[in-house]
Amino acid sequence: MSVLLLDHVAIATPDLDAGAAPYEALGLKVEGPDEEVGTQGVRVRAYQVGDTLIELLTPTRPDSPIAVFLDKRGAGLHHTAYRVADLDAEMARLKLGGARFLQEAPVPGRAGTRVAFLHPKWGQGTLIELVEHPHGGGHD
């Protein structure tokens, strides 16, 4: 296993503009246009902080995981995400060690990434995402 880097921290919010206010007050700049990730039912607004992003997530449909999260817990920290070079290999390695995933195979993520989520029960109550960037790269 290689050393993992923090890829992003995701914050659930019912409204991107209201959710963005604290980060913009801190002087953070939006990283590209908002992006819809249809497979996850979310719209994402990202802010670059060094080599890491703060991603604000808002639901695009009432049955999305973010909508369910907001209904149960309200706005706030949703998950942490870690960059991996080979998502398939990392999933296989973790499964051998007993890790539980929310899906059996990677799914499309923001900006052309492939992602997989580990079950929060495995993560001691924290949702953990693994992110593979195209061509092994990171953020622009």
Side-chain angles (χ1 to χ4, degrees):
M1 177 182 89
S2 62
V3 175
L4 298 179
L5 297 175
L6 182 64
D7 187 79
H8 66 268
V9 174
I11 310 294
T13 180
D15 179 274
L16 285 180
D17 292 330
Y23 303 100
E24 292 179 5
L26 289 169
L28 302 182
K29 302 294 181 206
V30 174
E31 175 72 20
D34 293 353
E35 184 175 337
E36 189 166 327
V37 182
T39 58
Q40 296 175 34
V42 298
R43 178 168 296 284
V44 182
R45 182 173 297 166
Y47 293 86
Q48 190 85 38
V49 181
D51 290 335
T52 303
L53 294 177
I54 301 294
E55 288 187 355
L56 300 179
L57 310 174
T58 195
T60 57
R61 59 180 197 257
D63 66 337
S64 77
I66 295 301
V68 172
F69 178 90
L70 288 168
D71 286 345
K72 286 183 179 178
R73 298 187 181 191
L77 178 64
H78 184 261
H79 67 270
T80 58
Y82 302 89
R83 199 172 307 156
V84 298
D86 183 337
L87 184 54
D88 297 304
E90 195 63 17
M91 287 180 74
R93 184 189 74 77
L94 288 167
K95 284 179 183 178
L96 283 175
R100 293 174 48 201
F101 284 84
L102 294 181
Q103 65 276 108
E104 290 300 313
V107 296
R110 178 189 169 277
T113 59
R114 292 184 337 131
V115 303
F117 289 90
L118 288 140
H119 197 286
K121 287 184 180 176
W122 183 83
Q124 301 300 299
T126 301
L127 182 62
I128 297 171
E129 179 183 18
L130 302 178
V131 181
E132 179 188 280
H133 287 265
H135 312 294
H139 307 296
D140 294 331

